[in-house]
Amino acid sequence: MKTLSSILLALLMGCFLASCDSDGTSADSSKPKARGSIGEIILVIDSVKWAGPVGDQLKEIFESDIPGLVRSEAKFKVNTVDPREMTRVLKMSTNLIYVTTFDDKGSASQVINAQFSKESKEKAMNDPSIYSLRIEDEYAIGQEVLYLFGNTEEQLVENLKKNGDRLQNLFEVRERGRLEKILLARKNSAATVASRENLEIEINVPASYQIAKSEDDFLWVRQITPSANRADISLFFYETDYTSEEQTFPANILALRDSITKQHIFGDPEDPTSYVVAEKQIPPAFRNMTINGNFTTEMRGSWKTNNVSMGGSYLGYLMVDQKKGKLYYIEGFVFYPNEVHRDALREIETILLNTNVSWKDDQGT
């Protein structure tokens, strides 16, 4: 690892997660490309620290469960590495997080601490709110390197508690961006046209998805090549009039969701009485947000067919466009028995968040 002494004095005070973004224009083209799967984080930390309060807080941030699932699945795949065992290959990882405290005299943490200058440590000592340093492309192109530090474990834990959502969001947004470049390199133009004509919105779905059902106010597209290494993913988009704020209440969103799937989403093509419903034994998780100026409610949960022959997980968004007087429900659901759904749900999230419900016909193509 190159020494941080020459750059920490300039960056330490202002290089927090909200403000230390790089546009990549100064990237060294001689560096190799970063390596790592989507959602994977290499966490460089002393094993004793990982097993203690600092580790507990990091697990809460990066290994907390995805809400709404039948079984436990962590938000990220975290691999811990002893600082003394870092190799050149590991340093090429896409997402690297180094964690230390300056009072730790253990040999593992000292490997990280040695990268900080005396002046840098003094600045951190005088301002306990300084806890992070973000550097892009430090060892490889397309890399995110994050240093998390504190004078003491208690101080670092406190800052992690205060900034946990921000840290989690940093990597969630970053991984969606990486995945978007892969997924949407080639798009299904027929699905985009159908969304404009049937729902007056604009969707962007990968070319590998095909239209399963298209009619007024409704569109269903499906990834038709599921395999042992590829989940069966369906996406659907629905439009109706927005008439009351009550439509955005959680119970009413769930009822709307079930009414859509009962009418449009069959569980078994050979059984016309089979349809998809939300699993009620595990309540879905709701979260309100604003997307492109539109009030949005995210819903994460589990689904099954009414005859309980199939099941899986889903992620949906209820969006209100008050200017158009329309309410949209868009969702992706996964069928992938006995496999992890995290990657499929991140794919769904990436695609759905590229939906423009405020699209207008005069925007053209």
Side-chain angles (χ1 to χ4, degrees), residues 201 203 236-238 315-319 328-332 351-353 355 357:
I201 65 175
I203 70 171
F236 67 85
F237 306 81
Y238 174 82
L315 166 61
Y317 296 95
L318 184 90
M319 297 182 174
Y328 300 92
Y329 182 74
I330 63 178
E331 180 185 300
I351 297 171
L352 293 184
L353 290 181
T355 300
V357 300

Side-chain angles (χ1 to χ4, degrees), residues 229-273:
N229 299 316
R230 187 80 171 93
D232 185 338
I233 300 176
S234 283
L235 309 170
F236 67 85
F237 306 81
Y238 174 82
E239 173 201 61
T240 189
D241 292 332
Y242 177 61
T243 59
S244 169
E245 184 181 354
E246 293 183 0
Q247 291 172 283
T248 66
F249 294 174
N252 293 332
I253 297 174
L254 190 57
L256 173 66
R257 190 260 178 203
D258 277 354
S259 69
I260 298 169
T261 56
K262 183 175 182 179
Q263 179 180 352
H264 294 289
I265 310 292
F266 50 76
D268 182 353
E270 305 300 324
D271 181 2
T273 66

Side-chain angles (χ1 to χ4, degrees), residues 304-360:
K304 63 182 180 181
T305 53
N306 62 314
N307 58 9
V308 201
S309 61
M310 299 172 66
S313 52
Y314 69 85
L315 166 61
Y317 296 95
L318 184 90
M319 297 182 174
V320 176
D321 188 323
Q322 291 187 319
K323 292 182 179 179
K324 294 167 66 174
K326 293 294 184 179
L327 180 145
Y328 300 92
Y329 182 74
I330 63 178
E331 180 185 300
F333 62 92
V334 184
F335 179 64
Y336 203 20
N338 304 315
E339 300 292 341
V340 173
H341 286 197
R342 175 181 55 225
D343 294 342
L345 289 170
R346 183 170 279 120
E347 177 171 330
I348 289 169
E349 182 180 33
T350 300
I351 297 171
L352 293 184
L353 290 181
N354 269 279
T355 300
N356 181 10
V357 300
S358 298
W359 178 86
K360 297 178 181 179

Side-chain angles (χ1 to χ4, degrees), residues 36-48:
S37 59
I38 300 294
E40 181 182 31
I41 295 175
I42 301 299
L43 192 64
V44 188
I45 186 172
D46 177 82
S47 60
V48 175

